[in-house]
Amino acid sequence: MAKISASIITIGDELLIGQVVDTNSAWMAQELNKTGIWVKRRVAVGDDWNSIWQALDEESRESQVILITGGLGPTADDITKDLLCKYFDGKLVVDEAALANVRHIFERILKRPMIERNLKQAEVPDVCTVIQNKRGTAPGMWFEKNEKIFVSMPGVPYEMKGMMEEVIGRLATRFVLPYIAHRTLLTAGVGESFLAEHILEYENALPENVRLAYLPNYGMVRLRLTATGNEKDATDSLLEEKFNELKQMVSEWIVADTDIPIGQAVGNLLKKTGKTVSTAESCTGGYIAHLITSIQGSSNYFKGSIVSYSNETKVNLLHVNETTLATIGAVSEETVRQMIQGALIVLRTDLAVATSGIMGPDGGSEDKPVGTVWIAVGDRSKIVSRKFYFRFNRERNIELTATNALNMLRQFIAGT
Amino acid sequence: MAKISASIITIGDELLIGQVVDTNSAWMAQELNKTGIWVKRRVAVGDDWNSIWQALDEESRESQVILITGGLGPTADDITKDLLCKYFDGKLVVDEAALANVRHIFERILKRPMIERNLKQAEVPDVCTVIQNKRGTAPGMWFEKNEKIFVSMPGVPYEMKGMMEEVIGRLATRFVLPYIAHRTLLTAGVGESFLAEHILEYENALPENVRLAYLPNYGMVRLRLTATGNEKDATDSLLEEKFNELKQMVSEWIVADTDIPIGQAVGNLLKKTGKTVSTAESCTGGYIAHLITSIQGSSNYFKGSIVSYSNETKVNLLHVNETTLATIGAVSEETVRQMIQGALIVLRTDLAVATSGIMGPDGGSEDKPVGTVWIAVGDRSKIVSRKFYFRFNRERNIELTATNALNMLRQFIAGT
C-alpha cells in the first residue's frame, strides 16, 4: 500500500512577523494522522504571490495532499483566492450556497450591514468543489491537478475545524490508507534522559512498525508509541502489547495512560472517587481553577476557588493567621497549609489545593528568590506540602506551579 | 541595501503528528523582525534524515539566514546534530564549556545522576561556533557555508529564547540591515470587513513602504502598520504620522494603541486611576483572574477572586440570593449583578467583574442554550450588565467571555 503524505501550507504575513502562533497546523496534523495520512512537511509563507505559488509547486512535488489555510479574508492583503483561481486555470463565479450563507450570517447572526466585499466572499473559482463554511463567510475550495489534491480553507481556527470533517471524509474515500494508531503515556517526576536509559533495551527491541517518541513538556514527559500497519486488528493488538510492556516499566511515574491534559487526569480521579475539590490560589492567580474548569463536566467535582492575591484576602477569606503573614510571610509552608484549612471550611470540599510563591520578574529577595513556591494539597485529616524553586519566566513559572499542584493532588487522591 | 531574509526550520515528528504547537517560530520571527531581518518562510519537518537535509538545501537557496530548532535532545530520535556535522563536513568533538555546563546542571540544579548520553550533549561539530546554553544541556551551533548562516538551537522554548539574544547580536554585526518598525492598534466591537471599508481610502493612499494588516482574534481586530526604510528617524516619523491618522479614524473602537494583551490594557488603566479590582467568576472558572495576574505588577490593583462554580458557593461566599438562583437561575442578569455586589463587599475592591453562563458542550436548555453568558462590571454606585451568546466550543467560549468582560471593565473605567 502506498504511503499517502500531506503538506500543510499556512498563508499570512502575521505568521512570518510572529504576531500569531499557528495552532491550525498541529490540529490538522492530528486529524490527518488519525485517518492514516502522514504529514511530511508544514510550510508557512507570507501574503505574497510568488511565495504562495512556489509553495504550491514545491509541496505538490512532496505530497499527494496539500492543505492550505489562510489568506481568504475580505481585505486587500488576502490574495489566496485570486491566486488559486489562476493556479488552477479557473474564473471566479458566485456560489449560490456560499452567498446564501454570507447573507444568513450578516442578517441573522452578526446583525450588521453587509457590504460589497462581503458578497465577494461568495465567489469561488469555477474549477473547484466548494466546501461550505458553516461557521463563517469564506467558503473552502477543493482542487485536483495531476493526481494531487489541494484544499484551501480559512485561517480562523474555528472555521477551518468546521470544514475538516468533510475534507477528511472526502480524502478517506479517495485513497487506500494504511492504518496508524498512537498510544501515549503521561509521566511526571522523571527526566527524559533517565527515562530513555531506563527503557533502552525495550526501545531497541521494538518491531520495525512501532516507534517511540519522547515529548517533554512543563516538567512532564509524554511517551508516545506509534504503530503502522495494513490491518487494523493486528496493528492494534501489537500496539496494545507494546504499550502494556511500557506501562509496566515506567509505572512509578505514570500520570495517565492517555494523552489528556493533567486537569482531565485529576478530574477523572475525582469523578471515580466521588470527591470534591476547591483551590486557594495566590501566585497561580486562578490558573489552577481554569485548568480544572476547562474540562467539561468539572462542575460535578469542582465547587470553587478563592484567589487570594493580597494578604488582606488571605486573612479575610481564607482565615490565614495575620501573625503568620507578618512574621513568616505569605510564601511559606505555614501559609499554604492554613490556606488549605481555610478552603476546606469556606468552600466546603473534601479536598483543597493551595499555592503561594513569587512568579517574577519582581518581588524576589535573598531568602525567597523569584521562583520560590510553596504548594499544599490536603483533606480534613492530612495536608502534604512541598517547596519548589522554578527558574523560568513568569508565564512558565505559573504553568509549572499549576502542573505540579495538580500532580500533587493526583498523587494525594491516588494515595501514592 | 539588500533585504536580508531568514527561514526558520523546526524539526521534530511531534510537530508533524500535531502533538505540539510550534510557539518558537512566532517568537523567533518577532525577534528577527525587530532587528530588520525579514522572515520569508517557516518549514517544519520530521526527525528524518532526508527531510532535514532537503530543508537545509532548499532554505539556503531562499534565505541568507537559516535558524533551526529541535532535534537536539539526548534520545535516539534526535538526529539533528549528527546530520549537521555531516552537512558541514565536520567531526564531533567535546566542547569543554558545554561539558562544564552539563555537569553543573546535573550536579547543582537537577541533582540527578548524569549518564553517558547526557555527556554526549556536550559534543559539537568542530566546524561550528558554539552558542552556550545557559538554560539547558544542549549547546547551540552556528555554521557558515557559501555566505549563508545556519544556527541550530534546542526546541525547548525557554532554552532557545535564552540563546537568541547572542544569535541576534551576532547577526546584527554581520549584515547591514534595513530598519523595520511596527505599530499596532487593538480594537474591539467592530468587524474586520467593516473596518476595512471604513479606512479604505486611507489604506489605498499609504506610501509604498508602509503596509497595513488586519489581525482578527477573539472578537478583537488588531491593525498593524509596518514601515520599512534605510533611515531610522525618517521611517519612525512617517510611521508615527500614519499611525496617528489611523488612530483618529478608528478612535471609537480602540482598546489600546500598542500590541498588548487586553489584561495589560486594563491593568494600565487601573494603575493610572489607582483603583482596585476583583472578579466573581462562574463560567470563566478563574480565567479572567488568570489573564489579570499574568501581568507583572498586577498585585498593585488586583486583590483576588471568588470562583463560584456551584450555587452553594455563590450563596455562601458572594451572598447571591437563594431565591434568585432557584427562580431566575444562575445564568441571569440578576445573578451577575448580585455577584458584583458580593465581590465588592467581600473582596473590598473599587471595581468588580462577574460572569455566569453555559460554556458547553452540555448544560444548555431551550431558554438558555449553550453559549448564553451574562457579564457584569461595576462599582458601588453603578453596575453595567450585558447578555452575550457565543456559538463556539467550550475553550473559545471561555476565552471570548473573558475578553469581553475585560473590555467591558476597560470601558467602564474609561467612562465610555
Side-chain angles (χ1 to χ4, degrees):
Chain A
M1 187 185 315
K3 200 168 171 184
I4 304 298
S5 75
S7 288
I8 297 174
I9 302 176
T10 46
I11 298 172
D13 285 344
E14 67 275 20
L15 297 162
L16 297 186
I17 76 153
Q19 207 149 7
V20 165
V21 169
D22 169 29
T23 56
N24 282 349
S25 298
W27 189 88
M28 291 164 81
Q30 282 178 16
E31 296 302 302
L32 288 166
N33 247 267
K34 278 185 214 155
T35 198
I37 295 174
W38 163 64
V39 177
K40 189 174 178 193
R41 279 162 58 96
R42 290 165 32 179
V43 180
V45 294
D47 296 303
D48 170 77
W49 191 276
N50 292 334
S51 298
I52 301 172
W53 195 283
Q54 181 189 333
L56 291 170
D57 279 349
E58 279 176 7
E59 298 314 315
S60 63
R61 282 194 295 270
E62 299 288 336
S63 300
Q64 290 98 319
V65 176
I66 297 95
L67 297 189
I68 306 150
T69 62
L72 297 181
T75 54
D77 54 343
D78 295 306
I79 59 171
T80 303
K81 189 157 68 183
D82 288 335
L83 184 145
L84 291 171
C85 193
K86 190 125 186 171
Y87 193 86
F88 294 104
D89 281 323
K91 62 174 199 290
L92 288 178
V93 295
V94 170
D95 182 80
E96 289 303 328
L99 182 62
N101 181 52
V102 173
R103 283 192 196 285
H104 172 79
I105 286 177
F106 273 85
E107 286 164 16
R108 300 298 174 86
I109 297 173
L110 297 176
K111 292 174 180 151
R112 277 206 296 253
M114 191 164 44
I115 52 184
E116 179 63 22
R117 64 172 77 201
N118 297 125
L119 292 175
K120 280 194 78 76
Q121 295 210 272
E123 291 183 2
V124 295
D126 57 356
V127 290
C128 79
T129 302
V130 177
I131 311 282
Q132 296 298 339
N133 183 351
K134 298 183 187 87
R135 300 175 172 184
T137 51
M141 295 167 279
W142 172 293
F143 300 91
E144 304 197 13
K145 187 178 178 179
N146 304 332
E147 308 285 303
K148 308 284 172 153
I149 292 169
F150 301 74
V151 187
S152 163
M153 290 174 280
V156 179
Y158 180 71
E159 299 182 18
M160 175 279 292
K161 288 178 184 176
M163 290 182 190
M164 274 293 281
E165 194 181 341
E166 182 176 344
V167 172
I168 291 287
R170 283 173 181 268
L171 289 172
T173 63
R174 288 296 303 273
F175 299 106
V176 183
L177 296 169
Y179 179 71
I180 298 182
H182 304 287
R183 290 293 313 259
T184 302
L185 266 188
L186 189 62
T187 70
V190 59
E192 186 185 359
S193 311
F194 192 89
L195 264 179
E197 208 63 28
H198 186 72
I199 58 180
L200 182 66
E201 279 181 43
Y202 163 85
E203 189 176 357
N204 289 341
L206 282 173
E208 186 86 0
N209 63 331
V210 180
R211 207 170 159 186
L212 175 67
Y214 298 79
L215 308 168
N217 189 26
Y218 292 118
M220 300 194 289
V221 178
R222 285 176 297 173
L223 294 172
R224 190 193 62 231
L225 277 185
T226 303
T228 314
N230 294 336
E231 212 264 292
K232 181 179 185 306
D233 289 349
T235 311
D236 278 342
S237 69
L238 175 65
L239 179 62
E240 208 51 35
E241 182 194 322
K242 292 297 153 195
F243 190 68
N244 285 330
E245 286 173 30
L246 182 62
K247 272 167 78 170
Q248 280 175 8
M249 272 182 296
V250 302
S251 60
E252 60 187 299
W253 305 293
I254 294 178
V255 171
D257 64 357
T258 48
D259 190 16
I260 54 175
I262 189 159
Q264 176 90 63
V266 170
N268 292 349
L269 259 179
L270 287 163
K271 246 190 286 186
K272 215 173 85 183
T273 54
K275 291 195 194 298
T276 57
V277 73
S278 58
T279 73
E281 306 186 42
S282 183
C283 64
T284 43
Y287 190 61
I288 300 174
H290 168 61
L291 291 181
I292 293 173
T293 58
S294 294
I295 307 302
Q296 162 187 3
S298 47
S299 58
N300 290 314
Y301 48 81
F302 178 70
K303 287 168 82 173
S305 174
I306 289 171
V307 179
S308 53
Y309 221 62
S310 66
N311 279 350
E312 190 189 341
T313 309
K314 288 183 185 72
V315 173
N316 292 338
L317 287 176
L318 290 167
H319 312 306
V320 173
N321 193 312
E322 278 184 82
T323 315
T324 305
L325 293 173
T327 54
I328 315 177
V331 181
S332 65
E333 179 164 27
E334 287 77 356
T335 298
V336 287
R337 293 179 80 96
Q338 290 177 30
M339 287 168 75
I340 292 281
Q341 287 164 338
L344 289 172
I345 293 167
V346 172
L347 289 155
R348 304 181 187 183
T349 52
D350 300 318
L351 298 154
V353 184
T355 59
S356 186
I358 302 147
M359 300 288 90
D362 305 321
S365 65
E366 201 164 318
D367 260 25
K368 296 173 183 173
V370 167
T372 307
V373 177
W374 274 99
I375 303 177
V377 297
D379 59 19
R380 269 165 191 75
S381 58
K382 185 181 161 197
I383 297 175
V384 175
S385 49
R386 204 175 141 196
K387 190 183 190 177
F388 291 84
Y389 172 57
F390 302 120
R391 57 212 164 84
F392 305 103
N393 63 9
R394 183 178 183 86
E395 183 191 350
R396 203 170 166 201
N397 286 340
I398 293 173
E399 184 104 35
L400 276 166
T401 304
T403 302
N404 277 284
L406 287 172
N407 195 39
M408 280 173 66
L409 174 61
R410 185 189 63 78
Q411 289 169 324
F412 189 91
I413 303 171
T416 57
Chain B
M1 186 186 314
K3 199 168 171 184
I4 305 298
S5 75
S7 289
I8 298 173
I9 302 175
T10 46
I11 298 172
D13 285 345
E14 66 276 20
L15 297 162
L16 297 185
I17 76 152
Q19 207 148 7
V20 165
V21 169
D22 170 27
T23 56
N24 283 349
S25 299
W27 189 88
M28 291 163 80
Q30 282 178 17
E31 296 303 302
L32 288 166
N33 248 266
K34 278 186 216 156
T35 198
I37 295 174
W38 163 66
V39 177
K40 190 175 177 193
R41 280 162 59 96
R42 290 165 34 177
V43 180
V45 295
D47 295 303
D48 171 77
W49 191 275
N50 292 333
S51 299
I52 301 172
W53 195 284
Q54 181 189 332
L56 291 170
D57 279 348
E58 279 177 5
E59 298 313 316
S60 62
R61 283 194 294 269
E62 299 287 335
S63 300
Q64 290 97 320
V65 176
I66 297 96
L67 298 189
I68 306 151
T69 62
L72 297 181
T75 54
D77 54 344
D78 295 306
I79 58 172
T80 302
K81 189 158 67 183
D82 288 334
L83 184 145
L84 290 171
C85 194
K86 188 126 189 172
Y87 193 85
F88 294 103
D89 281 324
K91 61 175 199 289
L92 288 178
V93 293
V94 171
D95 182 80
E96 289 304 328
L99 182 62
N101 181 50
V102 172
R103 284 193 196 283
H104 173 78
I105 287 176
F106 273 85
E107 284 164 17
R108 299 297 174 89
I109 297 172
L110 296 176
K111 292 172 180 153
R112 279 206 295 253
M114 191 164 44
I115 53 185
E116 179 62 23
R117 63 173 78 203
N118 298 123
L119 291 175
K120 279 194 78 74
Q121 296 209 270
E123 291 183 2
V124 295
D126 57 356
V127 289
C128 79
T129 303
V130 177
I131 312 282
Q132 295 298 338
N133 183 352
K134 299 184 186 86
R135 300 175 173 184
T137 49
M141 295 166 280
W142 171 293
F143 299 91
E144 305 198 12
K145 186 179 178 179
N146 305 330
E147 308 286 303
K148 309 284 172 154
I149 292 168
F150 301 73
V151 187
S152 163
M153 290 174 281
V156 180
Y158 180 71
E159 297 182 20
M160 175 278 291
K161 289 177 184 176
M163 290 182 190
M164 274 293 281
E165 194 181 341
E166 181 175 345
V167 172
I168 291 287
R170 284 173 180 268
L171 289 172
T173 62
R174 287 295 303 271
F175 300 107
V176 182
L177 296 169
Y179 179 71
I180 297 181
H182 305 287
R183 290 292 314 258
T184 302
L185 266 188
L186 189 62
T187 70
V190 59
E192 184 185 359
S193 311
F194 191 89
L195 263 181
E197 209 61 31
H198 186 71
I199 58 180
L200 182 65
E201 280 181 42
Y202 163 85
E203 187 176 358
N204 288 340
L206 282 173
E208 186 88 0
N209 63 331
V210 180
R211 210 171 158 186
L212 175 68
Y214 299 79
L215 307 168
N217 190 25
Y218 292 117
M220 300 195 287
V221 178
R222 284 176 296 174
L223 294 172
R224 190 195 61 231
L225 278 185
T226 304
T228 315
N230 294 336
E231 211 266 291
K232 180 180 186 307
D233 288 349
T235 312
D236 278 343
S237 70
L238 174 65
L239 180 62
E240 208 51 34
E241 182 194 322
K242 293 296 154 196
F243 189 67
N244 285 331
E245 288 173 28
L246 182 62
K247 273 167 79 170
Q248 280 175 8
M249 272 183 295
V250 303
S251 58
E252 59 187 301
W253 304 294
I254 294 177
V255 170
D257 65 357
T258 47
D259 189 18
I260 55 176
I262 189 159
Q264 176 90 63
V266 170
N268 292 349
L269 258 179
L270 287 164
K271 247 189 286 184
K272 216 173 83 182
T273 56
K275 290 193 195 300
T276 56
V277 72
S278 58
T279 74
E281 305 186 44
S282 182
C283 63
T284 41
Y287 190 61
I288 300 175
H290 168 61
L291 291 182
I292 293 173
T293 57
S294 294
I295 308 301
Q296 161 187 6
S298 47
S299 58
N300 290 314
Y301 48 80
F302 179 70
K303 287 169 81 174
S305 175
I306 290 170
V307 179
S308 54
Y309 221 62
S310 65
N311 280 350
E312 189 189 343
T313 309
K314 289 183 185 72
V315 173
N316 291 340
L317 286 176
L318 290 167
H319 311 307
V320 173
N321 191 310
E322 278 184 83
T323 315
T324 304
L325 294 173
T327 55
I328 313 176
V331 181
S332 66
E333 180 164 26
E334 287 77 356
T335 298
V336 286
R337 293 180 80 96
Q338 289 177 32
M339 286 167 76
I340 292 281
Q341 288 164 338
L344 289 172
I345 293 167
V346 172
L347 288 154
R348 304 182 188 182
T349 52
D350 301 317
L351 298 154
V353 184
T355 59
S356 186
I358 303 146
M359 300 286 92
D362 305 322
S365 65
E366 202 164 318
D367 260 23
K368 295 174 184 173
V370 167
T372 307
V373 177
W374 274 98
I375 303 177
V377 297
D379 58 20
R380 270 164 190 74
S381 58
K382 187 180 160 197
I383 296 174
V384 176
S385 49
R386 204 175 140 196
K387 189 184 189 175
F388 291 83
Y389 172 56
F390 302 119
R391 58 214 164 80
F392 304 102
N393 62 10
R394 183 179 184 86
E395 182 191 351
R396 205 173 163 197
N397 287 340
I398 293 173
E399 183 102 38
L400 275 166
T401 304
T403 302
N404 277 285
L406 287 172
N407 195 40
M408 279 174 66
L409 174 60
R410 185 190 62 79
Q411 288 169 325
F412 189 91
I413 303 170
T416 57

